[in-house]
Amino acid sequence: MSTRTYCEWCEEPLSPSHTGPCPKCGKTGKKCEVSASEIVTLRSSYSLEVRREFFDENPRIKWLINILGLGSTFMGYFLQREIGIFFGLFIWFILWLLGPYSIIKVIEITRTRGD
Ligand SMILES: [Zn+2]
């Protein structure tokens, strides 16, 4: 909130602490005006925010995990010993990396402006 102080007679701006006669017209008396501009600003920027948070599946990653998981199971039938273990570990590592990306967090924000 801002205040404006001025002379009662000639409307010459004065400091809020000013006492005595006006420096311009010499008459005594001052008016004080309180501006409510900031209240108006607050009211015009009023808004309502609705937040909705939920988890969703990432279909591409989900399918990739399914294919890799099933693929490695059947590959175990054809691969021998050390190669099979190495391959299994490699697939497991990829699945471990992909795991966190299979679920995505969705934040839906709806803003309603007041007037
Ligand atoms: Zn004056």
Side-chain angles (χ1 to χ4, degrees):
M1 228 181 261
S2 63
T3 55
R4 194 174 78 94
T5 313
Y6 57 95
C7 172
E8 196 182 333
W9 307 96
C10 68
E11 293 196 6
E12 169 78 5
L14 302 167
S15 80
S17 57
H18 179 83
T19 49
C22 168
K24 197 186 173 190
C25 67
K27 289 178 184 170
T28 310
K30 66 173 183 180
K31 270 188 175 176
C32 201
E33 199 179 78
V34 179
S35 166
S37 62
E38 276 158 63
I39 295 172
V40 176
T41 310
L42 263 174
R43 219 178 259 165
S44 66
S45 64
Y46 162 80
S47 68
L48 186 76
E49 194 180 284
V50 179
R51 250 170 208 262
R52 199 164 74 94
E53 284 185 32
F54 57 96
F55 291 94
D56 206 356
E57 280 182 339
N58 189 330
R60 279 184 192 170
I61 303 289
K62 195 191 169 188
W63 274 106
L64 198 58
I65 287 171
N66 283 341
I67 290 163
L68 283 173
L70 279 170
S72 68
T73 305
F74 287 105
M75 284 303 272
Y77 181 81
F78 300 103
L79 296 168
Q80 303 294 312
R81 294 165 183 254
E82 290 87 355
I83 302 162
I85 290 166
F86 180 79
F87 189 79
L89 281 171
F90 179 71
I91 296 294
W92 168 80
F93 182 69
I94 290 170
L95 293 177
W96 179 75
L97 286 176
L98 287 173
Y101 298 101
S102 64
I103 301 287
I104 48 173
K105 191 181 183 182
V106 182
I107 303 171
E108 198 182 77
I109 302 169
T110 314
R111 282 196 179 93
T112 317
R113 278 192 70 91
D115 48 7

